[in-house]
Amino acid sequence: MSILKSRKIEYPLSLKKDELGYIINHVFMPPKLPQEHDPEPAKKDSALLKAIDQAARSFCEVVSTIDTSKNTKDTWITLQHMVSTMMHLHLHGSFSRAQLQTALNQMDVNGVLPVYVYAQNAGIIFRKTGDTEMTFESFQASLPVDVVVGTLGKVLVTFPSAPRILFGVDSTVIGPLANILSHMAMEEISVALPKTSKGGSSHHETRDVADPRFITEALAGILRGVSPSSSTPIQTTFVHKRLNDEVLWKQAYRPWRRSSIWLVARVALHTTLSEKHAGHGFDYKAFQVFFMAKVLTLAADGSVAQFSSDLLHFMNSKLARRLYKLSQMTGARMDVATFQLATSTVHATAAKLELRWKEIQDQFESHKQWRKDECPTRNRSTDFTFSNSSYLSSVVRRNNATVTSSTDKPFDCGDLNRRLARLCGVRARLTPDVIPTITDTPELYASLYDFQYWIEVHLPDWRSSNSRSSDDCLLIHQAISGYRRVALGHYQNSPERLSLMHLCILELWIALDEVVVKWCPLLAEYSPEIPENALDPLLLSEHGHMKRLRDIQLYLRERHSRKRESLSLFKDVNNSSSFANRFFSLPLAAAPLLRLHS
């Protein structure tokens, strides 16, 4: 029988919504992340450490009930104590000398103590190897901004940054060491801060992180001078991590960065479990899956807050992917008890999301079913009156006139079409040389279609005809005005038809522009006043319409390329370069004025 089914592991953790949201952002890294530095990082990092501590306790309870090696059980007891000590040490962000000195003095042999030195951007891991010996390893807790921003994908980093240092410990070492670290955790060192040049002077770059060299180099060099009691060589366990970090800010003083203390805790767990050779199902990846399942359970059950379905789906998908990757490992077994919580959490969350979706469907689904006894009764009547009854009567007469008895003569499709054309209302006479007009007829949609068909088929030939003159300007203007007036009223609720209307109007405008520029070439030097991207929002579903749109955009682009820079028809009318002043200085315009003067 499954261990998790026979014994329910409690998870007594009290979190606020903002604290749980902080944990989700830094553990799961959802697509939508904050765009500024959190105003209370110490408080929320403390909540993150509490969540890790509770997960480690639950994980230890699972491990203690499984028939596994003594090494694995002892390792997890050590790690549970490590996380608990780290949580109490960083309960308020920074730590005091007394707190760190007490934690170092109370370390058992084989104990581990991670320390996050906030002001120096450094992580330290102390490991007690004997009664009077301890090792020191350090690394950078948050990567520089240019490294994160300049890297495509994730950043591959090796932890720790240098081999372990073995040093002797006694009261003369622990006290000064705790004193140094407590001060360096709170006080920034000017030379370690990044610099930027603004206004000809150098300033501290608040958006970047400090250089940890006073920990990784200076303090490490001092500890090398503290000789250990034995000369036993120390092996360093290195781990390679692909860090998923971000530098995000939008109108903010400092950018959002992934939690450094979360990285310090992960490195301590990873290096220790790798060094102790914890088996499959009890290693670092297994605990990561276990911890993520705990966080997802808190987010999904709604006890803290109601999180969006999109966020829960992302978290569930990320957890499921981790489980799938673990199942593909050589010799991997997913029936290990430590994986059962994660597997059941994935299924439970998927079921909860499905239930939410069903509730949304039920909310917007109409449950009203018409029944015969609920339908209102009306007195039967065959007399109906419509506002357009005369048009309906004409349709009835039209149908009666087109009915042909099967006994008269064989059916003639051409004759029927001719008779229908005579009986159908007034339709536009489409000829290639004449622009059609829109008339208010009962078949208005057909009239609009005829007009649009003429523009698509006959307008290119009409534009290229040699018979075009300035007299055509008024005809095009009337066609545009009439078509826009009628089409706008009938297409107002259809974005696709409105897009076609604008397409046709712009084609007519091009025809008008060509006639006008041919009559007055000076206009070509001025802006057409229509942006090249004016038609980008149009919704065109047919390939032919899109080709016509391309031709319009090419014409506008060519028209803009011919204009003189900054010349406009409607600006600077009193300037010597305005169209009005330049036009009336031409012989074309001077002749009527001279005749008027004489």
Side-chain angles (χ1 to χ4, degrees):
M1 184 173 65
S2 170
I3 292 172
L4 290 183
K5 290 181 180 178
S6 61
R7 180 180 181 182
K8 184 179 179 181
I9 298 172
E10 298 297 331
Y11 191 59
L13 179 63
S14 176
L15 291 174
K16 297 179 180 179
K17 180 181 179 181
D18 59 338
E19 294 174 341
L20 183 54
Y22 181 88
I23 294 173
I24 291 172
N25 286 336
H26 292 270
V27 174
F28 283 87
M29 294 285 287
K32 186 177 181 180
L33 290 167
Q35 299 294 310
E36 61 179 343
H37 182 68
D38 195 281
E40 298 178 317
K43 174 186 173 183
K44 294 176 182 176
D45 277 338
S46 177
L48 174 59
L49 289 175
K50 288 179 182 179
I52 300 173
D53 178 56
Q54 293 291 341
R57 291 177 184 271
S58 299
F59 198 84
C60 279
E61 291 184 15
V62 175
V63 174
S64 65
T65 57
I66 296 177
D67 185 16
T68 184
S69 65
K70 183 178 183 301
N71 173 61
T72 299
K73 293 181 179 180
D74 292 342
T75 299
W76 271 106
I77 292 174
T78 301
L79 289 176
Q80 191 274 317
H81 183 68
M82 175 199 81
V83 175
S84 179
T85 306
M86 183 183 182
M87 177 193 69
H88 288 96
L89 185 63
H90 299 86
L91 193 60
H92 303 290
S94 59
F95 47 84
S96 66
R97 170 187 174 178
Q99 289 175 319
L100 181 57
Q101 185 172 350
T102 301
L104 290 172
N105 285 328
Q106 293 179 351
M107 287 181 67
D108 298 326
V109 177
N110 296 325
V112 184
L113 177 60
V115 178
Y116 173 47
V117 188
Y118 172 76
Q120 307 305 318
N121 183 34
I124 300 174
I125 302 176
F126 292 104
R127 303 178 192 272
K128 195 162 186 180
T129 58
D131 293 333
T132 59
E133 292 179 341
M134 191 176 291
T135 63
F136 169 91
E137 52 193 280
S138 60
F139 51 88
Q140 192 171 30
S142 185
L143 299 177
V145 168
D146 57 346
V147 173
V148 177
V149 175
T151 303
L152 295 177
K154 299 180 180 180
V155 186
L156 182 61
V157 185
T158 301
F159 296 98
S161 58
R164 293 176 184 171
I165 298 173
L166 180 66
F167 63 98
V169 291
D170 54 32
S171 58
T172 62
V173 175
I174 295 297
L177 178 61
N179 185 43
I180 291 173
L181 289 177
S182 62
H183 280 85
M184 296 184 77
M186 293 183 291
E187 297 181 6
E188 294 178 335
I189 301 176
S190 179
V191 295
L193 297 176
K195 302 293 191 301
T196 184
S197 179
K198 295 180 181 178
S201 59
S202 180
H203 302 272
H204 293 313
E205 178 54 83
T206 57
R207 292 173 293 185
D208 211 339
V209 294
D211 190 328
R213 63 178 180 266
F214 283 93
I215 299 293
T216 58
E217 298 176 17
L219 182 59
I222 294 172
L223 291 177
R224 284 192 186 94
V226 183
S227 301
S229 58
S230 66
S231 57
T232 306
I234 296 298
Q235 299 295 327
T236 304
T237 301
F238 292 97
V239 294
H240 307 284
K241 301 186 73 66
R242 296 174 65 247
L243 299 184
N244 184 16
D245 199 357
E246 296 287 349
V247 180
L248 305 172
W249 76 88
K250 181 179 181 182
Q251 298 178 349
Y253 177 65
R254 294 180 62 189
W256 184 91
R257 298 294 303 272
R258 200 172 187 184
S259 173
S260 300
I261 208 165
W262 170 233
L263 176 63
V264 173
R266 284 187 294 156
V267 171
L269 287 166
H270 199 171
T271 53
T272 304
L273 287 167
S274 298
E275 182 177 346
K276 299 297 183 180
H277 302 289
H280 173 70
F282 314 105
D283 56 1
Y284 170 73
K285 292 185 180 295
F287 178 73
Q288 276 283 84
V289 167
F290 188 88
F291 176 59
M292 292 172 70
K294 288 293 188 179
V295 176
L296 177 56
T297 301
L298 277 177
D301 64 10
S303 59
V304 178
Q306 288 291 336
F307 290 93
S308 67
S309 298
D310 292 338
L311 180 59
L312 293 180
H313 173 72
F314 171 81
M315 296 169 65
N316 203 41
S317 300
K318 193 161 190 176
L319 180 57
R321 177 167 175 79
R322 277 187 174 266
L323 286 170
Y324 173 77
K325 290 169 68 176
L326 286 173
S327 68
Q328 300 302 307
M329 295 171 60
T330 304
R333 290 173 48 245
M334 300 308 294
D335 58 346
V336 180
T338 51
F339 291 138
Q340 291 180 0
L341 173 69
T343 304
S344 61
T345 301
V346 169
H347 292 300
T349 306
K352 185 178 290 290
L353 291 173
E354 188 66 27
L355 181 61
R356 284 191 181 183
W357 175 233
K358 184 65 170 59
E359 291 174 353
I360 294 174
Q361 289 178 312
D362 293 342
Q363 179 182 356
F364 290 94
E365 182 181 1
S366 176
H367 293 283
K368 183 66 176 177
Q369 300 292 334
W370 288 102
R371 293 186 302 178
K372 184 177 180 181
D373 55 348
E374 294 181 352
C375 294
T377 57
R378 295 288 185 270
N379 295 327
R380 293 188 176 184
S381 176
T382 57
D383 297 328
F384 295 95
T385 302
F386 298 96
S387 59
N388 56 350
S389 57
S390 59
Y391 173 70
L392 295 177
S393 300
S394 66
V395 173
V396 173
R397 290 194 300 271
R398 181 194 310 166
N399 291 338
N400 293 335
T402 57
V403 173
T404 304
S405 174
S406 59
T407 59
D408 293 344
K409 57 182 179 179
F411 176 75
D412 186 353
C413 182
D415 179 63
L416 177 62
N417 289 335
R418 288 189 295 271
R419 296 174 65 186
L420 287 175
R422 290 197 306 270
L423 294 172
C424 202
V426 179
R427 296 289 297 274
R429 301 288 182 178
L430 301 181
T431 57
D433 300 329
V434 179
I435 301 178
T437 57
I438 301 293
T439 57
D440 293 326
T441 65
E443 295 84 9
L444 187 58
Y445 281 103
S447 182
L448 288 170
Y449 172 80
D450 289 339
F451 186 84
Q452 292 160 180
Y453 175 81
W454 187 91
I455 291 176
E456 180 179 5
V457 176
H458 299 302
L459 182 61
D461 295 334
W462 187 89
R463 286 166 47 190
S464 60
S465 174
N466 294 329
S467 60
R468 301 280 70 80
S469 66
S470 59
D471 296 336
D472 295 323
C473 295
L474 182 60
L475 296 177
I476 300 176
H477 166 70
Q478 292 173 345
I480 293 176
S481 301
Y483 172 62
R484 183 182 180 277
R485 174 180 55 81
V486 176
L488 198 60
H490 286 73
Y491 292 167
Q492 60 181 351
N493 295 324
S494 175
E496 294 84 358
R497 293 181 179 273
L498 281 174
S499 299
L500 180 59
M501 179 195 77
H502 286 94
L503 185 74
C504 294
I505 289 176
L506 261 293
E507 287 180 316
L508 287 171
W509 176 87
I510 290 176
L512 176 63
D513 188 67
E514 289 177 337
V515 171
V516 172
V517 170
K518 182 179 179 180
W519 170 67
C520 181
L522 179 63
L523 279 171
E525 299 182 18
Y526 291 81
S527 171
E529 306 298 340
I530 300 178
E532 296 181 31
N533 59 349
L535 299 183
D536 287 353
L538 296 190
L539 299 176
L540 303 174
S541 57
E542 296 185 14
H543 180 66
H545 294 166
M546 298 179 71
K547 290 178 64 177
R548 293 162 61 188
L549 173 62
R550 181 199 60 188
D551 294 339
I552 294 175
Q553 291 176 328
L554 290 175
Y555 182 86
L556 289 174
R557 189 174 305 164
E558 188 269 339
R559 188 72 165 73
H560 278 278
S561 67
R562 292 162 55 191
K563 71 175 183 179
R564 289 177 56 185
E565 186 176 0
S566 72
L567 286 184
S568 172
L569 289 171
F570 308 111
K571 296 179 181 179
D572 300 327
V573 293
N574 295 324
N575 195 293
S576 60
S577 62
S578 68
F579 175 77
N581 288 326
R582 295 182 64 194
F583 175 77
F584 283 105
S585 65
L586 296 175
L588 176 68
L593 293 176
L594 292 174
R595 287 196 301 270
L596 180 63
H597 177 72
S598 60

